[in-house]
Amino acid sequence: MAYSTFKYGATAFAVVASLTLVGCSDDDDQTPAPEPESFDYVVTVTNLTANQPFSPVAVVAHQADTPLWTAGMPASVALETLAESGDGSGLATETGVAALVSGSGIIAPGMSETINLSLTAAQVSNLSVVTMLVNTNDAFTGLGNYDISALAAGSMVKMRTITYDAGTENNSEAKGTIPGPADGGEGFNAARDDVNRVHSHPGVISADDGLSDSVLGASHRFDNPTMSVTIARSE
Amino acid sequence: MKLKTLASALIVSGIMSQTVAAAELEISVQNLTHGNQFTPILIAAHDGDSHLFQAGEMATPALQKMAEGGDIADLAAAVTGAGGVTSENPAGGLLFPGAHVDSIMLDTLTMTHLSVTAMLLPTNDAFVGLDAWEIPTEAGTYTLNLNAYDAGTEANDEIINGGGAAGTPGIPAAPGMDGGANGTGVMDGSSNDKVHIHPGVLGDTDPNGGASDLDSRIHRWLNPVARITVVVK
């Protein structure tokens, strides 16, 4: 498979080279290589929550038939890791992923971040933008499997996203189980002690609303939407 | 003059039949919640003037029956009686959390709008709803997130007592076998008797007492509670 791909690439290069030669006159060795067509996107995310900082956002370009998550199905370990600890780097090696650009850091409630993404023509398919709500056991919000192939240069789309429960960790809200500043507890744990399917997050309860051993307070509760995402294609 | 009127009437009806050409739909419904079941689902294709429910309007008796007890018979009869078409109970009973029912085929004939309802259990009168979504004429796959509504017909006391008949207080059942008992009842201070976005359930962590028979760790939800995919052929 890898060999045939290489062979195809070499053949394509040879065709381009001969065309270049035909179109050229005398000093043929000064001809610059053709610029690869570039698809440049500016992704802006805003944290709409009251008191749920976002982990560094993962902007992931991938194939349409390999979504990063599917509601009703178990989370991948890479997604579980993001949802429990905030570390999205493992998504880079998921099947079908062409590119991952990570945000520079935590996005505090009310704050925004702009992330640039540059793709080759072959990489343009679907986009996912995903981040953990860090004052939770395993909540994440994200735009999943959005088709950007029809987005024309100079145009933009703006969407708001809902919050998912990775279903990989019991929403105990207990001391030591939440990595965000509300607790400073554990991040990733390979054990799966919840329903083991991605679903619409039921929200956090908090001690203020009757979950007596919760480390969370009223301000950590959230409602949908939790994030706004703008995708603008500059080129 | 008379002939001319007839001719233009024919032309108009010709155009009409083109814009409302029959659509073959393939629908899937997924339960996105953490711990709530859907009672038998009703999917209805109807004309642009009809509704199974409307936010801000009083629930019909047929809607109340569905929202309080899961009985879709009266709603379905109203749709078919007005010339609409339905798919009734495509999941063959309850649709559990995380589950989905696929490949629901619906020939919409001349109907232009799509609605969906199902009661959420365990609740007093919550239902998942889609109100008169205009069916696209362009072939393609359309994905919609659906919200939970409160029928506004019954106080949300969160007491599981088998009360599923319209007008009977209480929650008919907790099919996940995760409900409590002996709750003293949540005081529902809402004065909104119209269909509205459901405020969510409260629940508590005491299975043998407290105010609610629901479990705040299992039975709460945030919108959306369902996702439907409609393939227009």
Side-chain angles (χ1 to χ4, degrees), chain A residues 71 164 199-200 205 209 224, chain B residues 30 32 34 220 223-224 227:
Chain A
Y164 294 91
H199 57 281
S200 184
I205 302 169
D209 200 12
N224 290 319
Chain B
Q30 179 162 29
L32 293 180
H34 186 83
R220 288 190 178 195
N223 287 323
R227 182 168 289 164

Side-chain angles (χ1 to χ4, degrees), chain A residues 209-234:
Chain A
D209 200 12
L211 190 62
S212 56
D213 53 358
S214 171
V215 296
L216 304 179
S219 70
H220 299 117
R221 298 188 307 153
F222 55 84
D223 200 352
N224 290 319
T226 45
M227 179 169 72
S228 115
V229 182
T230 303
I231 304 169
R233 185 179 157 204
S234 51

Side-chain angles (χ1 to χ4, degrees), chain A residues 17-99:
Chain A
S18 64
L19 282 173
T20 309
L21 281 172
V22 168
C24 229
S25 55
D26 291 335
D27 51 351
D28 47 358
D29 50 2
Q30 294 299 310
T31 308
E35 284 286 323
E37 197 181 356
S38 177
F39 292 78
D40 295 335
Y41 300 88
V42 179
V43 178
T44 303
V45 303
T46 301
N47 183 334
L48 302 178
T49 71
N51 196 6
Q52 288 285 350
F54 288 171
S55 65
V57 170
V59 177
V60 187
H62 58 87
Q63 296 302 307
D65 58 357
T66 52
L68 298 186
W69 69 89
T70 303
M73 299 296 287
S76 67
V77 173
L79 185 74
E80 175 186 8
T81 306
L82 177 138
E84 294 183 8
S85 75
D87 177 6
S89 60
L91 295 169
T93 51
E94 289 290 277
T95 305
V97 170

Side-chain angles (χ1 to χ4, degrees), chain B residues 83-98:
Chain B
V85 293
T86 61
S87 171
E88 297 167 33
N89 192 17
L94 298 175
L95 190 69
F96 278 77

Side-chain angles (χ1 to χ4, degrees), chain B residues 178-189:
Chain B
D178 44 21
N182 307 317
T184 55
V186 172
M187 294 300 293
D188 183 349

